[in-house]
């Protein structure tokens, strides 16, 4: 709070002090307020700003000019980034420009996020990679069309240290070889879902990039051969092998002898891995910090494995989802792994109150506990957890039906640091329970889906006390109505994500309260039969940041609402309009006017004609990345529009 | 001593010795048992050549053969053959006749041996000549008995459909005697069957059939070689480490090596590369060549005597495979000699019709290449191509800075083709250099063509000039995005720049 007199003092602060203050502002909204104070503050902002996440491409040239010290540029939220745009940016705003201010924006750039930039191709990527000599980190994840040429383009960034290529579906060994040879300083590489990859590529990578610290080959069809190669990486700390179907215990034997720096390993969902494979890993790496072995221990934890786990004194995270576990195992774990911070026991068989009590008795540092689908635990276990683990931050007890307000009372009394709790499908939760829970004032994520016993009253406790909540899931909480939303909108101003699907009582008045949540970016409100265009308009007008809207089956919403949406929700990125009564005209307006829209689900639009859909697609074809359409339209839409969409890298799902 | 001369001498020697019609000379005897060991390649080649010429000139092959081979005739065998001819029709009485003849013959032989034993005491003072002669007589008779036995078995074989127990027993006997003798005797049998062919033809057959047998033996070897070690005959024996002197070195002349055919039809003179093909061909010349015996593949006889190991020398002076070379490494088989000579010392006249760049001197190499040419080309940035991905990756692992070129890269392929021609001159300096760089042992590897050499030069040098030359990655990835003409130009430029820089070093 600055009074008029003290503002003079603030302005008299020297530049470097202002910079320090600025750097202490973590939240983006705070920084925004800061730079809106005055010109001087704005100048500080432009001088110090390192990171830029661009949402609308039209401002990109201006922004790049404005922030000369940019080190990190995130274009993932920016639609229609393509080769032409990149070329333009580099020639108009790049080193070729006459103005000294315009130049050099790419020169200092160290990090580039191009995730989901499906419009980009190798030529643009190559230009970028060459224009940014200091580039150290690139994220091209989920660019499904990326392949070897794009990899080759990236390989010209010789200083690259971090590279994320998740789901670059066309990438093969050849592309990886390009990167391995070109970017030999690589430290972090993620290759999830690069399905074409084989052992040859991984082998070459391990020979060329010996500095690798982080390697994720999850979901690849690589075999033990790859593990043999990976074992030679002396600096490797994190290894992701999730759901590699061809890896088995023999391969993990190589890991036992290699990778001396290994800290984190994930072998979850590897069909071939069993207890004996984990024994190899554990035996070879006493300093392991994190062990992810979910869904690969179908049998009970073997005593041999438990015996080996005794030595993991530094273990902080263990996830053994889906395993069969006995009470004695809990005792062994808790007695030896005293530094455990996170335990994942999701869908484990044999988790009992007694087991949990034994587990938590020694693990006092526990911060994250996942007990999803451990049906037999009751309030006794929750009480024990609350009593022992005072620093608990995250608790997931989805489908634990026996939890009642008593357990929540204990949590509200002792776990005051609790930030996230998942109570989905816990029928025992009622208004009283929420009242106890609301004492956890740090709560930021609350999931109450399918808790049919809560009402507006319970929600109002949350609204009054949990002011930091940014995610709330009220899926099928049929007891919730407009009054609850009123209380919520009064208190939880930071709410970013809200799920109101199937809360049948919610009407236009409730949506009016929702419209007060300025931070809201993600709203799911399927099948709200009472709402009309008025409610949607209120949301569109109020929630300026709305990026993701799912209003499937909101059949009563009329065109006025969609017109408002098209007019106000400029930041909308994803929309689901399936089963809505939207007309051709409104659809064209929505699809054409929302310049950030990237993904749309347009199934069963009863008031729309084929021509209307075609027109709407034409209106958005330059930026849309994913669209779901009614299957018969496949043969009704003109082949031209389908070709255009395909050429732009848009994925069409026919339903 | 030159191989050919030696062999000719041998043959000459053979003829007068054989003139004493009553006995085979020992050498001949040996041939029956192990034709492949005594008869070598030259003999195999020479007679067919002769035959070939004669057919062309005089059309009186039979007569010629007759004149040459008559001295080799053995009267007793002739008798036997006539006997055998009767057996052909499977006549029990003839069989009995035959057997009784055998019995008779054995008795004769027994008597002879008794006689020798009896004489032993008396011949003390006399030179051993007579004894030797008698021994030869005995062995000759033994041979004829064996032949008779086998021909009997052969006749049984042809009429064995009734599966007489007698026939199977004689077949068993046949097996005991080993296969090599079998076809030649069958040949005789055939002769016997066709008396109207008579005299010259018939009597000319024994030596001829010996030849064929021996050919078969050798050819069989070759055949195996052709199938299994066609490509790397030179590597095949690297680990052999035969001590010098423990084997016999043979050297063929260039003409012999390059002769297209090694088997010739004695009737029409047509040449064949394989004996099997000749045998197939022979069927057209009459029914006598259609018998199972005539068509059967002669099998190699495992001789009891240790045979001298034969190795071959390349006639090209200065070649490592030449026996005068300091580090002489012999070639294992005739086929090795042929392939080596063609690959190393001959023009590469077979050009791949697909890529029009790869050349080969051995047609089998071309065919092997054509199988893989164009498809699954794994290309390195240095220009070297690989048929297999793992080979490419091995190469990339080995050489610093090499990267795989993107396959199915149409934009790149076109400029690469033109630029190779254009940069050839610039790169010529490097090419010479590169042959030095590539290790000496590689000099011989003829499969590497000139283009590969040039590209290798780039490969070998690029690590050195990589950092300096690799601005913008043009060198390794010469494909700017905009248009083709520009990209090809840029490519040329960067390549030639690369070259000149290197030649300047």
């Amino acid at each position: 709070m600055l009074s008029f007199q003290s503002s003079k003092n603030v302005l008299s602060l020297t530049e470097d002090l202002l910079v320090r203050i600025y750097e202490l502002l973590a939240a983006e909204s705070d920084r925004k307020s800061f730079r809106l104070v005055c010109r001087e503050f704005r100048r500080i902002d432009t001088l110090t700003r390192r990171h830029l996440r661009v949402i609308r491409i039209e401002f990109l040239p201006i922004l790049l000019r404005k922030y000369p010290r940019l080190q990190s540029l995130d274009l993932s939220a920016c639609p229609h980034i393509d080769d032409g745009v990149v070329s333009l940016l580099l020639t108009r705003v790049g080193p070729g420009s006459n103005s000294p201010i315009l130049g050099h924006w790419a020169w200092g750039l160290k990090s580039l996020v191009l995730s989901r930039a499906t419009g980009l191709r190798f030529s643009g990527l190559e230009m970028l990679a060459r224009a940014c000599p200091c580039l150290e980190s690139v994220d091209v994840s989920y660019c499904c069309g990326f392949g070897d040429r794009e990899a080759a383009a990236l390989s010209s960034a010789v200083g690259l240290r971090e590279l994320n290529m998740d789901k670059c579906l066309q990438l093969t060994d050849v592309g990886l070889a390009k990167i391995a040879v070109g970017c030999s300083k690589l430290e972090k590489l993620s290759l999830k879902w690069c399905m074409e990859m084989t052992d040859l590529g991984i082998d070459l990578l391990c020979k060329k990039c010996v500095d690798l610290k982080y390697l994720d080959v999850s979901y690849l069809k690589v075999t033990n051969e790859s593990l043999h190669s990976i074992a030679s990486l002396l600096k490797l700390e994190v290894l992701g092998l999730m759901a590699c179907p061809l890896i088995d215990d023999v391969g993990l034997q190589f890991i036992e002898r290699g990778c001396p720096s290994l800290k984190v390993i994930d072998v979850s969902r590897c069909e071939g891995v069993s207890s004996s494979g984990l024994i190899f890993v554990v035996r070879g790496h006493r300093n392991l910090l994190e062990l992810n072995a979910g869904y690969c221990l179908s049998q009970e934890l073997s005593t041999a494995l438990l015996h080996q786990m005794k030595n993991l004194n530094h273990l902080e995270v263990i996830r053994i989802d889906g395993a069969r576990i006995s009470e004695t195992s809990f005792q062994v774990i808790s007695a030896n792994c005293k530094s455990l911070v996170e335990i994942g026991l999701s869908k484990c068989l044999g988790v009992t109150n007694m087991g949990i009590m034994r587990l938590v008795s020694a693990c006092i540092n526990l911060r994250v506990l996942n007990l999803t689908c451990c049906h037999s635990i009751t309030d006794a276990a929750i009480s024990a957890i609350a009593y022992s683990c005072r620093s608990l931050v995250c608790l997931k007890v989805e489908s634990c039906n026996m939890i009642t307000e008593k357990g929540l009372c204990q949590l509200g009394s002792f776990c005051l640091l609790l930030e996230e709790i998942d109570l989905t499908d816990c029928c025992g939760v009622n208004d009283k329970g929420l009242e106890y829970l609301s004492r956890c004032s740090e709560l930021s994520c609350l999931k109450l889906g399918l808790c049919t016993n809560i009402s507006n009253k319970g929600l109002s406790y949350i609204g009054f006390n949990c002011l930091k909540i940014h995610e709330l899931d009220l899926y099928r909480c049929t007891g919730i109505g407009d009054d609850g939303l009123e209380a919520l909108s009064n208190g939880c101003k930071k709410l970013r994500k809200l799920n109101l699907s199937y809360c049948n009582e919610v009407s236009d008045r409730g949506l009016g309260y929702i419209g007060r949540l300025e931070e809201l970016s993600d709203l799911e409100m399927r099948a709200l039969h009472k709402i009309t265009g008025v409610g949607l308009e209120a949301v569109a007008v109020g929630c300026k940041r709305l990026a993701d809207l799912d209003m499937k089956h909101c059949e009563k919403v009329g065109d006025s609402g969609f017109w408002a949406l098209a007019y106000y929700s400029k930041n909308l990125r994803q929309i689901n309009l399936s089963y809505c009564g939207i007309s051709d005209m409104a659809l064209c307006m929505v699809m054409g006017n929302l310049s950030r829209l990237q993904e749309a689900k347009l199934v069963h639009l009863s008031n729309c004609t084929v021509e209307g859909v075609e027109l709407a697609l034409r209106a958005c074809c330059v930026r849309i990345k994913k669209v779901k359409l009614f299957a018969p339209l496949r043969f009704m839409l003109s082949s031209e529009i389908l070709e255009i969409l395909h050429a732009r890298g848009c994925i069409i799902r026919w339903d | 001593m030159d191989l050919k001369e030696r062999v000719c001498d041998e043959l000459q020697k053979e003829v007068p010795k054989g003139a004493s019609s009553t006995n085979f000379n020992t050498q001949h005897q040996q041939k029956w048992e192990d034709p492949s060991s005594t008869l070598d390649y030259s003999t195999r080649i020479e007679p067919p050549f002769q035959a070939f010429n004669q057919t062309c000139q005089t059309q009186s092959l039979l007569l010629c053969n007759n004149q040459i081979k008559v001295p080799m005739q053995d009267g007793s065998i002739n008798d036997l053959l006539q006997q055998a001819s009767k057996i052909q029709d499977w006549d029990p009485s003839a069989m009995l006749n035959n057997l009784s003849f055998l019995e008779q013959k054995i008795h004769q032989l027994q008597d002879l041996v008794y006689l020798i034993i009896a004489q032993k005491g008396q011949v003390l003072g006399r030179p051993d000549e007579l004894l030797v002669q008698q021994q030869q007589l005995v062995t000759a008779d033994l041979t004829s008995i064996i032949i008779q036995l086998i021909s009997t078995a052969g006749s049984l074989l042809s009429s064995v459909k009734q599966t007489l127990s007698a026939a199977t027993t004689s077949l068993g006997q046949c097996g005991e005697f080993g296969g090599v003798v079998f076809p030649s005797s069958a040949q005789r049998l055939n002769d016997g069957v066709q008396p109207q062919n008579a005299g010259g033809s018939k009597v000319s057959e024994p030596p001829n059939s010996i030849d064929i047998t021996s050919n078969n033996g050798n050819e069989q070897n070759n055949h195996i070689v052709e199938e299994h070690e066609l490509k790397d005959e030179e590597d095949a024996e690297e680990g052999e480490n035969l001590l010098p002197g423990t084997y016999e070195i043979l050297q063929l002349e260039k003409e012999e090596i390059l002769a297209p055919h090694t088997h010739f039809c004695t009737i029409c003179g047509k040449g064949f590369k394989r004996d099997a093909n000749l045998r197939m061909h022979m069927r057209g010349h009459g029914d006598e060549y259609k018998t199972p015996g005539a068509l059967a593949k002669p099998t190699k006889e495992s001789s009891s005597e240790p045979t001298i190991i034969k190795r071959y020398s390349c006639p090209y002076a200065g070649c490592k495979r030449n026996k005068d070379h300091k580090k002489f490494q012999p070639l294992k088989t005739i086929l090795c000699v042929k392939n080596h000579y063609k690959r190393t010392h001959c023009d590469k006249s077979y050009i791949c019709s697909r890529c029009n760049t790869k050349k080969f001197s051995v047609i089998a190499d071309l065919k092997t290449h054509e199988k893989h040419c164009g498809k699954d080309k794994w290309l390195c940035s240095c220009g070297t191509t690989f048929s297999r991905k793992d080979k490419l990756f091995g190469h990339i692992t080995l050489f610093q800075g090499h990267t795989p070129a993107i396959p199915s890269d149409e934009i790149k392929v076109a400029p690469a083709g033109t630029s190779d021609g254009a940069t050839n001159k610039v790169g010529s300096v490097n090419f010479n250099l590169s042959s030095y760089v590539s290790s000496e042992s590689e000099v011989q590897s003829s499969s590497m063509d000139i283009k590969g050499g040039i590209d290798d030069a780039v490969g070998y040098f690029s690590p050195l000039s990589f950092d300096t030359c690799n601005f913008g990655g043009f060198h390794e990835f010469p494909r700017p995005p905009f248009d083709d003409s520009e990209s090809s130009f840029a490519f040329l430029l960067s390549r030639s720049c690369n070259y000149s820089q290197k030649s300047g070093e």
Side-chain angles (χ1 to χ4, degrees), chain A residues 87 122-124 126-127 130 148-149 152-153 155-156 173-175 177-178 181-182 196 198 200-201 203-204 207-208, chain B residues 378 389-390 393 396-411 472-474 476-477 479-482:
Chain A
S87 162
F122 64 93
S123 53
E126 199 172 356
M127 279 188 277
R130 292 220 193 113
D148 294 341
R149 292 193 188 183
S155 70
S156 51
D173 293 337
V174 172
K178 281 272 183 197
V181 173
E196 303 289 314
T198 71
L200 276 177
D203 182 55
L204 188 75
K207 281 174 181 154
K208 295 284 181 185
Chain B
W378 296 99
K389 191 162 121 187
D390 54 334
F393 276 66
I396 286 164
T397 314
L398 208 61
F399 293 97
Q400 281 281 308
H402 288 210
T403 66
I406 307 293
S408 72
D409 191 349
E410 300 84 4
I411 313 166
F474 259 109
E476 53 170 325
F477 194 62
R479 194 178 28 70
F482 299 108

Side-chain angles (χ1 to χ4, degrees), chain A residues 366-606:
Chain A
L366 210 61
R367 289 163 60 83
V368 180
L369 183 58
N370 186 350
L371 296 171
T372 302
C373 294
C374 296
H375 301 287
S376 53
I377 63 161
T378 66
D379 289 333
I382 299 297
S383 302
I385 292 165
Y387 191 76
S388 303
C389 315
R390 300 292 173 95
S391 50
L392 198 70
V393 169
C394 172
L395 178 65
K396 292 182 180 175
V397 284
E398 185 183 335
S399 286
C400 295
N401 286 310
M402 309 224 255
I403 294 173
T404 65
E405 70 261 28
K406 285 178 197 161
L408 296 180
C409 179
Q410 295 293 316
L411 281 176
S413 308
F414 299 110
C415 298
L416 297 178
L417 297 175
L418 201 66
E419 289 176 13
E420 184 181 349
I421 185 162
D422 187 346
L423 293 166
T424 306
D425 205 9
C426 294
C427 310
V429 177
N430 53 20
D431 291 342
K432 195 75 182 162
L434 286 186
E435 187 184 355
Y436 293 130
L437 194 65
S438 67
R439 280 185 254 165
C440 303
S441 56
E442 295 293 316
L443 214 57
S444 67
C445 175
L446 177 60
K447 292 187 178 172
L448 297 167
L450 296 163
C451 294
T452 43
N453 294 326
I454 60 168
S455 69
N456 293 331
K457 196 180 165 195
L459 202 57
S460 61
Y461 294 122
I462 301 293
F464 286 130
N465 297 314
C466 306
L467 305 182
K468 291 187 176 175
I469 274 202
H470 62 72
E471 183 177 349
L472 182 61
D473 185 351
L474 298 171
Y475 177 83
R476 282 190 201 271
C477 291
T478 42
I480 299 293
D482 296 338
D483 295 332
L485 295 182
E486 184 182 6
L488 201 67
S489 64
N490 286 331
C492 308
K493 293 285 184 192
K494 304 252 181 198
L495 205 63
R496 292 204 295 264
K497 200 171 173 183
L498 179 63
N499 190 343
L500 289 175
S501 296
Y502 305 99
C503 297
N504 302 319
E505 299 301 311
V506 175
S507 70
D508 286 340
R509 186 167 67 93
L511 286 193
Y513 300 126
I514 300 295
R516 295 189 205 164
L517 301 167
E518 289 186 357
E519 299 276 318
L520 197 70
S521 69
D522 198 331
L523 178 61
E524 195 178 319
M525 45 178 211
R526 287 187 180 183
L528 299 188
H529 296 301
K530 285 186 180 176
I531 64 162
T532 64
V534 179
L536 185 59
E537 190 178 339
V539 169
V541 171
C543 308
K544 294 257 186 265
R545 291 176 168 266
L546 198 64
D548 191 341
L549 178 65
D550 188 338
M551 45 187 299
K552 191 176 174 181
H553 279 297
C554 289
E555 280 135 5
K556 283 194 183 164
V557 176
D559 272 4
S560 63
F562 293 113
W563 280 87
L565 196 71
Y567 188 77
Y568 292 106
S569 297
K570 290 287 186 189
N571 289 322
L572 209 60
R573 210 163 28 168
Q574 287 185 42
I575 194 165
N576 187 348
L577 294 174
S578 301
Y579 298 95
C580 282
I582 191 168
S583 71
D584 282 345
M585 204 55 202
L587 184 67
C588 288
M589 280 299 288
V590 167
M591 300 297 283
N593 218 25
L594 298 177
S595 58
R596 275 193 64 207
L597 201 65
Q598 297 184 15
E599 191 178 332
K601 290 178 181 167
L602 309 170
V603 188
H604 295 288
L605 305 176
S606 50

Side-chain angles (χ1 to χ4, degrees), chain A residues 104-125:
Chain A
H104 306 304
W105 70 265
W107 287 42
L109 215 58
K110 284 184 177 170
S111 165
L112 196 55
V113 181
L114 294 166
S115 181
R116 296 178 204 275
T118 45
L120 202 62
R121 282 287 169 269
F122 64 93
S123 53
L125 210 54

Side-chain angles (χ1 to χ4, degrees), chain A residues 52-67 73 75 78 80 89 93 570-571 595-596:
Chain A
L52 191 63
R53 185 167 187 262
V54 186
I55 290 171
R56 291 192 209 163
I57 192 151
E58 55 267 34
F59 301 128
L60 187 55
I62 305 163
L63 287 169
L64 290 177
R65 253 173 258 170
K66 219 162 143 187
Y67 297 106
L73 182 62
L75 297 173
C78 212
H80 60 76
L89 287 175
V93 201
K570 290 287 186 189
N571 289 322
S595 58
R596 275 193 64 207

Side-chain angles (χ1 to χ4, degrees), chain B residues 84-347:
Chain B
S85 73
K86 290 168 195 162
I87 292 158
Q88 176 74 11
D89 307 318
W90 178 235
D91 182 4
S93 63
M95 180 75 179
L96 189 68
N97 208 1
N98 205 4
L99 287 173
S100 58
F101 170 79
L102 267 177
E103 196 182 25
Q104 201 184 339
K105 196 75 190 169
I106 289 168
H107 280 304
Q108 268 183 18
L109 201 64
Q110 269 181 330
D111 290 342
L112 193 69
V113 176
Y114 280 134
L115 192 71
I116 293 167
I117 295 165
Q119 279 175 344
K120 254 194 174 172
Q122 303 165 11
V123 296
L124 273 171
R126 284 161 70 180
D128 286 347
E129 282 167 23
L130 184 65
L131 193 65
V132 171
Q133 218 169 15
Q134 280 169 339
Q135 267 178 347
Q136 284 172 353
L137 200 67
V138 170
T139 47
D141 277 349
L142 257 176
T143 313
S144 67
I145 287 166
I146 289 163
I147 289 164
Q148 174 62 14
L149 262 175
I150 288 162
S151 55
T152 311
S155 67
L156 281 172
L157 188 71
S158 61
S159 58
V160 83
K161 280 149 200 155
Q162 289 87 358
T163 57
L164 292 168
S165 58
T168 44
T169 49
S170 45
L171 261 177
Q173 284 172 334
C174 161
E176 283 169 31
F177 281 101
V180 176
V181 193
F182 179 72
S184 57
S185 56
Q187 196 95 24
R188 284 149 186 269
L189 182 69
N190 290 340
D191 293 339
V193 175
Q194 303 272 341
Q196 67 269 27
N197 252 4
S201 164
K202 197 199 319 173
V203 287
S204 75
E205 282 307 320
N208 218 355
S209 64
I210 292 165
D211 261 347
I212 288 164
T213 328
S214 62
N215 275 355
N216 291 346
N218 261 354
E219 179 57 27
Q220 196 188 359
N221 281 346
N222 292 347
H223 192 67
I224 294 162
V225 167
E226 254 175 332
E227 279 169 355
H228 297 294
E229 29 180 44
L230 191 69
K231 294 296 282 181
D232 42 10
E233 90 281 2
E234 290 166 36
D235 300 332
E237 57 186 300
E238 287 300 337
E240 201 179 40
N241 280 333
L242 282 176
L243 287 171
T246 57
Y247 54 89
E248 191 179 359
I249 301 169
L250 306 176
Q251 182 169 298
L252 309 184
E253 285 313 312
K254 185 187 164 193
E255 290 73 23
E256 293 170 298
I257 290 169
L258 297 178
H261 299 133
T262 46
H263 305 274
F264 293 90
C265 173
T266 48
I267 296 166
C268 68
K270 191 168 189 234
F272 296 93
K273 281 182 183 163
R274 293 185 184 167
D275 183 59
N277 295 348
L278 173 63
R279 270 180 280 139
M280 290 299 112
H281 163 83
M282 290 308 281
R283 290 181 306 173
H285 285 302
D287 286 339
E288 71 266 35
Y289 299 110
K290 289 180 182 170
T291 58
L295 291 170
K297 187 179 178 183
T299 49
K300 199 179 180 182
E301 192 191 18
S302 56
S303 82
S304 52
E305 295 172 35
T307 53
I308 305 163
I309 302 166
K310 284 195 167 51
R311 288 295 177 265
Y312 298 89
S313 156
C314 170
Y316 195 91
C319 173
K320 201 178 183 182
R321 303 296 191 171
N322 184 276
K323 59 191 172 190
D324 298 327
H325 192 276
K326 261 186 277 177
K327 293 177 182 172
F328 170 60
Q329 283 187 314
L331 292 153
K332 212 170 190 176
T333 66
I334 299 295
L335 196 81
C336 295
V337 177
K338 286 186 146 194
N339 281 342
H340 160 79
Y341 194 84
K342 284 184 194 166
R343 283 181 184 142
T344 321
H345 309 299
C346 290
D347 288 339

Side-chain angles (χ1 to χ4, degrees), chain B residues 31-62:
Chain B
K31 262 174 216 165
W32 279 113
E33 283 168 7
D34 182 27
S36 62
S37 68
T38 42
L39 278 188
D40 56 42
Y41 188 65
S42 297
T43 60
R44 201 174 59 158
I45 284 187
E46 285 305 298
F49 256 113
Q50 213 175 340
F52 180 72
N53 293 335
Q54 279 157 353
T55 0
C56 291
Q57 288 158 10
T58 63
Q59 297 289 332
S60 60
L61 171 74
L62 296 182

